[in-house]
Amino acid sequence: MAKTEKQKQEPLFHIVKRIIGIPTWQAWLIRIASVAAALLVCAVVTVMLTGENPLNVYKTMIEGAIGTERRIWNLMQNVAMLLCVSLAVTPAFRMRFWNIGAEGQVLIGGLATASCMILLGNRLPTPLLFVVMFAASLIAGAVWGLIPAFFKAQWNTNETLFTLMMNYIAIQIVSYFSYIWSNPKGSGAIGVINLNTQVGWLPTIGSQKYLLNILVVAALTVFMFIYLRFSKHGYEIAVVGESENTARYIGINVRRVIIRTMLFSGALCGLAGLLLVSGTDHTISRATAGGRGFTAIMVSWLAKFNPLYMILTSFILVFLQKGASEISTQFGLNDAFSEIITGIIIFFIIGSEFFINYSIRFRESKKGVQAK
Amino acid sequence: MGANTAIELKNVTKVFGSIVANKDVNLTVNRGEILSILGENGSGKTTLMNILSGIYFPDHGQILINGEEVVIRSPKDAFSYGIGMIHQHFKLVDVFSATENIVLGLEEENFNIRRSAEKIKKISEQYGFEIDPNKKIYEMSVSEKQTVEIIKVLYRGADILILDEPTAVLTPQETQKLFTVLRRMREDGKSIIIITHKLHEVLSLSDRVSVLRKGEYIGTVNTAETNESELTEMMVGKKVSLNIRRNDPVDPQDRLVIKGLTCISRDGVKQLDNVSFTARSGEILGIAGIAGSGQRELLEAVAGLQKIDEGSIVYNNPKTGGQDDLRNKTPMQIRDLGVRLSFVPEDRLGMGLVANMDIIDNVMLRSYRRGKTAFLERKPPRNLAERIIHELEVVTPSATTPIRRLSGGNVQKVLVGREIASAPTVFMAAYPVRGLDINSSYLIYNLLNEQKSNGVAVIFVGEDLDILIDLCDRIAVLGSGRITGIVDARTTTKEEIGLLMTKHDGGEPNHG
C-alpha cells in the first residue's frame, strides 16, 4: 500500500487560471520581470557562445539602435512603417479575420505608387500626380484585401491560406515589373525612380526626410484607436469577431462588415506601400515590404489589438532588430547570433502573458495533513 | 463510519481564484444506495463530482474509498477505484458504434471487439438497458447516447456511478425507464450519485438527499422523511413560494399567425414540417418537445435567422392594423416594418450576447445604430444597463464588467432585461430558465407574466413540463419538427404532453 500511496501523490503543481485577473501594475511588473529574466538568459547564452562580456553586448545593442541621431531617425522611421502595417491589419484581426496577406497588400500598393511615378511622373502636374498616386495605392491594396474577403463572405473560404497565397502573387507581379521597368535596362531592378527630378517623391518637412511618414502614421494611430473604440463600424467589427451568431441575431450584415473591413485594411496596407515607395525608398523590389506584413501580426497580437499599445510593441521589435544586427557587425558574429538574442527576448515577453493569465500553485507539504 | 460506506469525503475544499466552489464538504455514500445531490446552480455540485471523478484536484480535504484514504489525480485513477461519471454533455465519438465508444481508451490484452460486444449485451440484459452495440452514435437518440455513457462506466467495472443531471434531456417516459435501470443497479449493490435540481425526481428515486448551498454542505436527509418545501428551504436558505401566478388572458388577439412553415436543412432534413399555430397577444404560448425537435429553427425562422422553404408568418401590426409577412426577411427588415420582436435565444452567450463585452456594450447591441453620426452613443445604453442591474438585481461589480464574468442567472437577467426594454409586441424565449437557480427562475417567470399582462404575445420554449403546465395558457407540442398537438395548459397532463412529444418520432435518426 505504501508504494501505491507514493505513486499517487498529489501532483507537484497545478496551473490555475486567474479568473478575476490581476491589477494592471502587477501585470506590468510581470512583463518587466520577464524582460529582466530574458536579459539574464541572453547574458548566459552570450558568454557561453561567444565569451564576450554581456554588458558590452547590451551596450552595443543600445548604441546600434539609438546611438546617433541618424540611427534614432532611422529607428523611428522603421517603427512608423511597422506600426503602419500593424494598424492596417488590426481591424481585420479584431474581426477574427486572419489576414496574413499584409505583405502582398503593401507590395501591390507600393507597385501602384511606383507605376504612377514611372508612367505619369512627367505627364501630370505634381499635385494631381499625388492625388492619382494616393488613389491608386489605396485602391490596389483594397482590391488585394477584397478578393479573399469576398470569397470568405460568399463561400466561407479559409482566409489565412487565401491571403497567404495572395502574397506570392503580389511578389511575382512585382518581380515581373522589375524586369519591365528595370533601370538600367536588363539589371532586373528598378533602381531609384526619378532620381534627378524627384517627381512623385513625398515632400520632406524641413531637413528631416522621414518626418512626414512619422506624422502620417501618428495621426493614423489616433484615428484607428478612435475608429475601433468609438465608432459604430468599430463596434460592428468587434461583435462580428466575438460571435458571428450574435451579429446575425442582432441584424448586422456579416458579409458586408467582412468586406468593408478588409477593403479598409487592404487600403491602409496600400498606403503603407505608398509611404515606403514614395516616402522612403523611391524604388520598389520584392523586398520593399521587408517582412513587415508578417511582423505586424506579432505587433498587433502582442498589443492585444490596441493601437496605442502597438506603438510600444512595434518599438520593441524594431529596437531589438536594429540592436541585434549591430551586435553581429561589431563583434564579428554572424546574423544567427543576433537572431538568437532577439528570439530569447521575444520568447520571454510572450511567455510572460502566461503568468499574467495563470497562476501556478505548488503542492503543500504533506506534514500538515499528517499532523491531523 | 459504517462498514457499508463506499465513499467518504472529509472537509473537501476547492477554490477557483477568489470563488470558493466547495468549502469543507463532508459527504458519505453507502453501498447499494441512491444519493441525490441537490443544490442550485453554482452551489458546487458538479465541481464536487468532478473532484471525485478526477477532473479537478481538491485544495484541501480527504477522500476515503472503502475506508482507505486515496488520491484521485485523473479520471483513470477514479476508474481504478471504481468511480465512473456520466457527464451532462456526452463525450462520445459520433462516427463510432456503441461498442467502439465503450471500449475506447481501454488497454485490454487480447482485445476482441466481438467479445466486448458480448460483454456489453450481458451488462444490458443484467440491468435492463435497450441498446444495439453496433449502432453508430450519430444514429442514436439522446436517451440511447446516455445509455452508452452509462454502459461505458459499467464496462469499466464501476461500482460508484455519478450522473450529472441525467434527466435534463429526457422525456418523462425515458426518465421513468432510466430510473428503473438505476433502481436495478442499486439492488445489485452499486452506489449511485445523481445530481439534479428537480425535486420530484429526488423524492421518487433516491434514498438520501445531500444538499449544497453556495459551495457549502448543508446537510443530508432521508428522502422518506422530507418533502419538497423542506428541501427547497435547505437549498435556497429561505422559504420560497413555488406557485406561479396565472391570470386569464385579457382580450387576446391574433398577433402572429404561422401557417405551413417548413424549413429544410442543408443535408435535406426537414427541421420544421408544416408547422401552423397562432400566438395571441396577452397570452403565453408554451412550446414543448424533446431537445432538437425544431424549437430552435422555429424561433429563428420567426426572428428572420432561418431560411424558410414553405409557409408564411403573418404579423398583425397593432399600430397600423396591417398585416406583414415576415417570411425570409432579415432581422433588420423585420425591424424596419415596425415589428417589435424580442428574442431570448437558447445560446445566451453565443447568440444573445457577446461574452467578452461589458454589460453596457451588450445592452447597446439592440440600439447602437441610433444617432446620426458615425460614432456610438454610450450614454443611453449606460443608463439602461444601470436600470437593468438595479431593477432585476443583477449581481455584478459594475456595468463595465465583461458578461462572461457573471453567473448564468445574471447573464440571463441582462439578456431578458435588454429584450424587454425595447417594449416588444412579440416576446420569444427559448429555455430562459435553463441553468438558473430557483429565485432567478421565478423572477423570469414573473417577467414573462408581466409581458403577458402588458398585452405581449409571449412564446415560451421550455423543457420542464411542470413549469410549462403551470405558466402557459396553451402548449404546442413539437415532435420531429411537426406540431403533434396544441393543448390547453389548464386541463392537460404531463403524460398527455409526454405522449405527444414522441408521437411522430418514428425511428427517424435524431441529429440532436
Side-chain angles (χ1 to χ4, degrees), chain A residues 232, chain B residues 335 340 363-378 380-381 384 421-423:
Chain A
K232 290 174 182 171
Chain B
R335 213 171 313 160
R340 292 213 304 279
V363 166
M364 192 163 62
L365 277 168
R366 280 271 184 228
S367 60
Y368 79 96
R369 287 189 188 85
R370 284 193 197 142
K372 281 178 192 141
T373 66
F375 293 97
L376 298 164
E377 286 175 20
R378 278 203 170 84
L384 178 57
S422 54

Side-chain angles (χ1 to χ4, degrees), chain A residues 3-327:
Chain A
K3 199 179 160 202
T4 54
E5 273 303 308
K6 225 175 212 171
Q7 282 172 347
K8 304 229 169 202
Q9 241 184 12
E10 185 181 339
L12 184 61
F13 61 85
H14 314 287
I15 293 163
V16 185
K17 194 168 171 91
R18 296 184 203 267
I19 292 171
I20 303 299
I22 55 173
T24 321
W25 66 270
Q26 272 185 22
W28 281 102
L29 210 64
I30 292 176
R31 291 193 183 105
I32 292 166
S34 76
V35 174
L39 291 177
L40 211 66
V41 172
C42 286
V44 173
V45 171
T46 308
V47 172
M48 276 170 50
L49 291 183
T50 66
E52 302 284 351
N53 179 350
L55 287 180
N56 284 342
V57 171
Y58 291 149
K59 204 174 133 225
T60 310
M61 202 167 166
I62 293 168
E63 274 172 7
I66 53 172
T68 65
E69 201 192 328
R70 202 183 63 82
R71 279 180 183 163
I72 293 177
W73 278 109
N74 200 302
L75 178 91
M76 300 233 308
Q77 149 72 8
N78 274 288
V79 171
M81 289 324 300
L82 180 58
L83 183 57
C84 184
V85 183
S86 309
L87 290 168
V89 295
T90 298
F93 280 6
R94 285 273 275 235
M95 201 175 61
R96 307 275 155 94
F97 184 103
W98 305 122
N99 173 22
I100 60 171
E103 191 85 358
Q105 290 151 21
V106 170
L107 268 182
I108 220 73
L111 183 67
T113 308
S115 59
C116 288
M117 287 162 75
I118 293 168
L119 301 176
L120 305 175
N122 301 321
R123 295 184 198 165
L124 292 178
T126 304
L128 188 60
L129 176 67
F130 276 126
V131 171
V132 173
M133 245 165 60
F134 263 93
S137 62
L138 292 182
I139 289 171
V143 166
W144 228 244
L146 171 70
I147 296 168
F150 174 77
F151 279 81
K152 168 83 174 182
Q154 208 64 29
W155 295 290
N156 199 24
T157 52
N158 182 321
E159 76 276 11
T160 315
L161 281 175
F162 209 126
T163 49
L164 182 70
M165 303 304 239
M166 294 291 287
N167 286 336
Y168 299 116
I169 300 174
I171 289 172
Q172 294 312 321
I173 292 177
V174 169
S175 293
Y176 175 75
F177 282 103
S178 295
Y179 275 100
I180 301 274
W181 291 329
S182 61
N183 182 19
K185 279 271 174 236
S187 66
I190 290 182
V192 177
I193 304 166
N194 303 341
L195 180 59
N196 301 321
T197 57
Q198 301 202 346
V199 170
W201 291 24
L202 283 188
T204 54
I205 297 175
S207 60
Q208 294 308 334
K209 184 172 145 197
Y210 298 135
L211 190 57
L212 183 68
N213 278 7
I214 293 167
L215 290 177
V216 168
V217 175
L220 193 61
T221 311
V222 175
F223 171 79
M224 189 56 82
F225 180 76
I226 293 170
Y227 178 76
L228 290 176
R229 184 160 297 190
F230 299 109
S231 80
K232 290 174 182 171
H233 283 189
Y235 181 72
E236 287 180 339
I237 289 171
V239 174
V240 170
E242 292 286 347
S243 163
E244 269 190 38
N245 260 334
T246 307
R248 254 188 284 275
Y249 157 81
I250 220 70
I252 292 173
N253 188 334
V254 174
R255 282 180 190 179
R256 203 172 65 194
V257 173
I258 290 178
I259 286 180
R260 185 183 71 202
T261 307
M262 270 313 286
L263 277 173
F264 182 46
S265 188
L268 288 183
C269 283
L271 176 69
L274 175 121
L275 293 179
L276 280 169
V277 170
S278 169
T280 316
D281 297 347
H282 310 302
T283 182
I284 187 159
S285 73
R286 299 163 58 121
T288 294
R292 288 187 185 90
F294 298 108
T295 316
I297 299 169
M298 196 152 68
V299 171
S300 189
W301 266 95
L302 276 176
K304 302 203 173 86
F305 312 134
N306 182 328
L308 300 184
Y309 291 163
M310 277 178 221
I311 302 172
L312 183 67
T313 50
S314 54
F315 175 81
I316 290 173
L317 288 175
V318 173
F319 182 91
L320 286 175
Q321 209 178 8
K322 294 277 163 204
S325 68
E326 181 72 9
I327 303 173

